[in-house]
mmCIF file of all heavy atoms in Angstrom:
data_model
loop_
_atom_site.group_PDB
_atom_site.id
_atom_site.type_symbol
_atom_site.label_atom_id
_atom_site.label_comp_id
_atom_site.label_asym_id
_atom_site.label_seq_id
_atom_site.Cartn_x
_atom_site.Cartn_y
_atom_site.Cartn_z
ATOM 1 N N GLN A 58 12.642 17.184 -10.484
ATOM 2 C CA GLN A 58 13.301 17.087 -11.775
ATOM 3 C C GLN A 58 14.841 16.884 -11.529
ATOM 4 O O GLN A 58 15.454 17.609 -10.602
ATOM 5 C CB GLN A 58 13.191 18.474 -12.469
ATOM 6 C CG GLN A 58 13.904 18.634 -13.801
ATOM 7 C CD GLN A 58 13.859 20.141 -14.307
ATOM 8 O OE1 GLN A 58 14.232 21.057 -13.595
ATOM 9 N NE2 GLN A 58 13.295 20.337 -15.447
ATOM 10 N N GLN A 59 15.490 15.996 -12.166
ATOM 11 C CA GLN A 59 16.788 15.687 -11.882
ATOM 12 C C GLN A 59 17.642 15.679 -13.200
ATOM 13 O O GLN A 59 17.306 14.947 -14.207
ATOM 14 C CB GLN A 59 16.979 14.312 -11.186
ATOM 15 C CG GLN A 59 18.399 13.978 -10.790
ATOM 16 C CD GLN A 59 18.565 12.655 -9.941
ATOM 17 O OE1 GLN A 59 17.690 11.808 -10.123
ATOM 18 N NE2 GLN A 59 19.491 12.489 -9.174
ATOM 19 N N PHE A 60 18.724 16.487 -13.251
ATOM 20 C CA PHE A 60 19.571 16.543 -14.304
ATOM 21 C C PHE A 60 20.750 15.559 -14.036
ATOM 22 O O PHE A 60 21.136 15.332 -12.885
ATOM 23 C CB PHE A 60 20.095 17.857 -14.610
ATOM 24 C CG PHE A 60 19.038 18.749 -15.161
ATOM 25 C CD1 PHE A 60 18.475 19.715 -14.351
ATOM 26 C CD2 PHE A 60 18.511 18.669 -16.439
ATOM 27 C CE1 PHE A 60 17.454 20.601 -14.697
ATOM 28 C CE2 PHE A 60 17.538 19.516 -16.903
ATOM 29 C CZ PHE A 60 16.994 20.491 -16.103
ATOM 30 N N PRO A 61 21.503 14.996 -15.057
ATOM 31 C CA PRO A 61 22.597 14.141 -14.736
ATOM 32 C C PRO A 61 23.587 14.741 -13.913
ATOM 33 O O PRO A 61 23.973 15.947 -14.058
ATOM 34 C CB PRO A 61 23.187 13.861 -16.228
ATOM 35 C CG PRO A 61 21.991 14.112 -17.051
ATOM 36 C CD PRO A 61 21.164 15.148 -16.496
ATOM 37 N N GLY A 62 24.040 14.047 -12.902
ATOM 38 C CA GLY A 62 25.096 14.566 -12.008
ATOM 39 C C GLY A 62 24.578 15.513 -10.862
ATOM 40 O O GLY A 62 25.397 16.004 -10.099
ATOM 41 N N LYS A 63 23.224 15.669 -10.824
ATOM 42 C CA LYS A 63 22.763 16.619 -9.880
ATOM 43 C C LYS A 63 21.785 15.863 -8.998
ATOM 44 O O LYS A 63 21.205 14.824 -9.390
ATOM 45 C CB LYS A 63 21.974 17.752 -10.550
ATOM 46 C CG LYS A 63 22.890 18.552 -11.519
ATOM 47 C CD LYS A 63 23.797 19.452 -10.873
ATOM 48 C CE LYS A 63 24.488 20.354 -11.857
ATOM 49 N NZ LYS A 63 25.503 21.218 -11.239
ATOM 50 N N GLY A 64 21.440 16.520 -7.838
ATOM 51 C CA GLY A 64 20.335 15.919 -6.965
ATOM 52 C C GLY A 64 18.973 16.384 -7.616
ATOM 53 O O GLY A 64 18.911 17.288 -8.310
ATOM 54 N N PRO A 65 17.965 15.678 -7.108
ATOM 55 C CA PRO A 65 16.547 16.047 -7.611
ATOM 56 C C PRO A 65 16.269 17.444 -7.092
ATOM 57 O O PRO A 65 16.555 17.827 -5.930
ATOM 58 C CB PRO A 65 15.723 14.957 -6.992
ATOM 59 C CG PRO A 65 16.610 13.854 -6.653
ATOM 60 C CD PRO A 65 17.894 14.436 -6.355
ATOM 61 N N ALA A 66 15.606 18.190 -7.862
ATOM 62 C CA ALA A 66 15.095 19.579 -7.457
ATOM 63 C C ALA A 66 13.645 19.631 -7.484
ATOM 64 O O ALA A 66 13.011 19.148 -8.421
ATOM 65 C CB ALA A 66 15.687 20.570 -8.428
ATOM 66 N N PRO A 103 14.299 21.760 -25.192
ATOM 67 C CA PRO A 103 15.443 20.780 -24.979
ATOM 68 C C PRO A 103 15.956 20.871 -23.517
ATOM 69 O O PRO A 103 16.435 19.898 -23.009
ATOM 70 C CB PRO A 103 16.391 21.217 -25.998
ATOM 71 C CG PRO A 103 15.589 21.808 -27.124
ATOM 72 C CD PRO A 103 14.441 22.542 -26.462
ATOM 73 N N GLY A 104 15.896 22.019 -22.922
ATOM 74 C CA GLY A 104 16.482 22.213 -21.634
ATOM 75 C C GLY A 104 15.609 21.456 -20.458
ATOM 76 O O GLY A 104 16.028 21.362 -19.386
ATOM 77 N N ASP A 105 14.433 20.960 -20.895
ATOM 78 C CA ASP A 105 13.595 20.261 -19.985
ATOM 79 C C ASP A 105 13.973 18.782 -19.994
ATOM 80 O O ASP A 105 13.469 18.019 -19.193
ATOM 81 C CB ASP A 105 12.129 20.330 -20.474
ATOM 82 C CG ASP A 105 11.561 21.735 -20.323
ATOM 83 O OD1 ASP A 105 12.027 22.513 -19.527
ATOM 84 O OD2 ASP A 105 10.650 22.076 -21.206
ATOM 85 N N SER A 106 14.940 18.416 -20.822
ATOM 86 C CA SER A 106 15.378 16.983 -20.824
ATOM 87 C C SER A 106 15.986 16.656 -19.581
ATOM 88 O O SER A 106 17.064 17.281 -19.177
ATOM 89 C CB SER A 106 16.413 16.814 -22.071
ATOM 90 O OG SER A 106 15.726 17.060 -23.256
ATOM 91 N N ALA A 107 15.444 15.700 -18.847
ATOM 92 C CA ALA A 107 15.842 15.371 -17.500
ATOM 93 C C ALA A 107 15.090 14.161 -17.070
ATOM 94 O O ALA A 107 14.224 13.633 -17.925
ATOM 95 C CB ALA A 107 15.570 16.468 -16.519
ATOM 96 N N THR A 108 15.300 13.605 -15.875
ATOM 97 C CA THR A 108 14.511 12.550 -15.273
ATOM 98 C C THR A 108 13.500 13.167 -14.279
ATOM 99 O O THR A 108 13.944 14.057 -13.509
ATOM 100 C CB THR A 108 15.411 11.539 -14.664
ATOM 101 O OG1 THR A 108 16.331 10.975 -15.658
ATOM 102 C CG2 THR A 108 14.489 10.408 -13.959
ATOM 103 N N TYR A 109 12.282 12.891 -14.427
ATOM 104 C CA TYR A 109 11.275 13.364 -13.506
ATOM 105 C C TYR A 109 10.771 12.242 -12.612
ATOM 106 O O TYR A 109 10.463 11.180 -13.005
ATOM 107 C CB TYR A 109 10.124 13.954 -14.337
ATOM 108 C CG TYR A 109 10.539 15.174 -15.122
ATOM 109 C CD1 TYR A 109 11.223 15.005 -16.320
ATOM 110 C CD2 TYR A 109 10.368 16.422 -14.585
ATOM 111 C CE1 TYR A 109 11.677 16.110 -17.040
ATOM 112 C CE2 TYR A 109 10.782 17.532 -15.352
ATOM 113 C CZ TYR A 109 11.416 17.417 -16.616
ATOM 114 O OH TYR A 109 11.838 18.447 -17.246
ATOM 115 N N PHE A 110 10.677 12.634 -11.261
ATOM 116 C CA PHE A 110 10.192 11.663 -10.256
ATOM 117 C C PHE A 110 8.977 12.327 -9.644
ATOM 118 O O PHE A 110 8.855 13.492 -9.270
ATOM 119 C CB PHE A 110 11.176 11.459 -9.203
ATOM 120 C CG PHE A 110 12.464 10.790 -9.538
ATOM 121 C CD1 PHE A 110 13.495 11.583 -10.052
ATOM 122 C CD2 PHE A 110 12.548 9.404 -9.605
ATOM 123 C CE1 PHE A 110 14.763 10.938 -10.400
ATOM 124 C CE2 PHE A 110 13.684 8.749 -9.896
ATOM 125 C CZ PHE A 110 14.781 9.508 -10.405
ATOM 126 N N ARG A 129 12.493 9.220 -17.793
ATOM 127 C CA ARG A 129 13.549 9.926 -18.567
ATOM 128 C C ARG A 129 12.870 10.664 -19.732
ATOM 129 O O ARG A 129 12.474 9.920 -20.617
ATOM 130 C CB ARG A 129 14.619 9.016 -18.876
ATOM 131 C CG ARG A 129 15.873 9.689 -19.502
ATOM 132 C CD ARG A 129 16.909 8.678 -19.744
ATOM 133 N NE ARG A 129 17.509 8.235 -18.480
ATOM 134 C CZ ARG A 129 18.599 7.458 -18.383
ATOM 135 N NH1 ARG A 129 19.173 6.956 -19.495
ATOM 136 N NH2 ARG A 129 19.017 7.058 -17.230
ATOM 137 N N LEU A 130 12.931 12.004 -19.673
ATOM 138 C CA LEU A 130 12.351 12.769 -20.740
ATOM 139 C C LEU A 130 13.443 13.317 -21.682
ATOM 140 O O LEU A 130 14.456 13.880 -21.146
ATOM 141 C CB LEU A 130 11.512 13.926 -20.230
ATOM 142 C CG LEU A 130 11.013 14.907 -21.212
ATOM 143 C CD1 LEU A 130 10.040 14.334 -22.172
ATOM 144 C CD2 LEU A 130 10.424 16.143 -20.484
ATOM 145 N N ARG B 18 32.021 14.321 -2.983
ATOM 146 C CA ARG B 18 31.141 14.063 -4.259
ATOM 147 C C ARG B 18 31.319 12.654 -4.902
ATOM 148 O O ARG B 18 30.299 12.200 -5.357
ATOM 149 C CB ARG B 18 31.333 15.162 -5.257
ATOM 150 C CG ARG B 18 30.937 16.554 -4.836
ATOM 151 C CD ARG B 18 29.372 16.670 -4.594
ATOM 152 N NE ARG B 18 28.723 16.092 -5.720
ATOM 153 C CZ ARG B 18 28.490 16.817 -6.849
ATOM 154 N NH1 ARG B 18 28.958 18.002 -6.974
ATOM 155 N NH2 ARG B 18 27.653 16.189 -7.828
ATOM 156 N N TYR B 19 32.535 12.274 -4.823
ATOM 157 C CA TYR B 19 32.788 10.917 -5.492
ATOM 158 C C TYR B 19 33.730 10.096 -4.537
ATOM 159 O O TYR B 19 34.531 10.682 -3.816
ATOM 160 C CB TYR B 19 33.510 11.115 -6.860
ATOM 161 C CG TYR B 19 32.689 11.954 -7.808
ATOM 162 C CD1 TYR B 19 32.926 13.332 -7.852
ATOM 163 C CD2 TYR B 19 31.725 11.350 -8.624
ATOM 164 C CE1 TYR B 19 32.160 14.004 -8.744
ATOM 165 C CE2 TYR B 19 30.972 12.011 -9.473
ATOM 166 C CZ TYR B 19 31.204 13.413 -9.534
ATOM 167 O OH TYR B 19 30.484 14.187 -10.482
ATOM 168 N N GLN B 46 19.991 6.079 -4.426
ATOM 169 C CA GLN B 46 19.467 6.078 -5.855
ATOM 170 C C GLN B 46 20.296 5.237 -6.670
ATOM 171 O O GLN B 46 21.557 5.423 -6.805
ATOM 172 C CB GLN B 46 19.420 7.521 -6.323
ATOM 173 C CG GLN B 46 18.758 7.610 -7.691
ATOM 174 C CD GLN B 46 18.664 9.023 -8.213
ATOM 175 O OE1 GLN B 46 19.513 9.849 -7.965
ATOM 176 N NE2 GLN B 46 17.652 9.248 -9.033
ATOM 177 N N LEU B 97 24.245 6.320 -5.912
ATOM 178 C CA LEU B 97 24.276 7.828 -5.611
ATOM 179 C C LEU B 97 23.474 8.013 -4.253
ATOM 180 O O LEU B 97 22.354 7.558 -4.168
ATOM 181 C CB LEU B 97 23.595 8.626 -6.712
ATOM 182 C CG LEU B 97 23.551 10.179 -6.529
ATOM 183 C CD1 LEU B 97 25.025 10.698 -6.565
ATOM 184 C CD2 LEU B 97 22.684 10.802 -7.452
ATOM 185 N N LEU B 99 21.944 10.457 -1.580
ATOM 186 C CA LEU B 99 21.413 11.712 -1.640
ATOM 187 C C LEU B 99 20.990 12.164 -0.198
ATOM 188 O O LEU B 99 20.372 11.330 0.510
ATOM 189 C CB LEU B 99 20.246 11.877 -2.544
ATOM 190 C CG LEU B 99 20.548 11.772 -4.079
ATOM 191 C CD1 LEU B 99 19.313 11.326 -4.884
ATOM 192 C CD2 LEU B 99 21.168 13.117 -4.574
ATOM 193 N N PRO B 115 23.561 17.478 -4.020
ATOM 194 C CA PRO B 115 23.994 16.979 -5.222
ATOM 195 C C PRO B 115 24.354 15.448 -5.256
ATOM 196 O O PRO B 115 24.416 14.776 -6.223
ATOM 197 C CB PRO B 115 25.293 17.780 -5.551
ATOM 198 C CG PRO B 115 25.742 18.161 -4.279
ATOM 199 C CD PRO B 115 24.603 18.433 -3.362
ATOM 200 N N ARG B 118 28.479 10.127 -5.103
ATOM 201 C CA ARG B 118 28.542 8.880 -5.964
ATOM 202 C C ARG B 118 29.615 7.829 -5.387
ATOM 203 O O ARG B 118 30.759 8.168 -5.378
ATOM 204 C CB ARG B 118 28.962 9.238 -7.448
ATOM 205 C CG ARG B 118 29.232 8.056 -8.284
ATOM 206 C CD ARG B 118 27.962 7.404 -8.732
ATOM 207 N NE ARG B 118 27.106 8.252 -9.507
ATOM 208 C CZ ARG B 118 25.860 7.870 -9.819
ATOM 209 N NH1 ARG B 118 25.395 6.656 -9.562
ATOM 210 N NH2 ARG B 118 25.172 8.712 -10.531
#
Side-chain angles (χ1 to χ4, degrees):
Chain A
Q58 179 190 56
Q59 185 177 27
F60 293 105
K63 305 286 187 182
D105 296 329
S106 297
T108 300
Y109 293 82
F110 294 93
R129 185 173 291 183
L130 171 66
Chain B
R18 293 292 313 278
Y19 303 92
Q46 185 176 28
L97 181 67
L99 292 158
R118 171 73 62 185

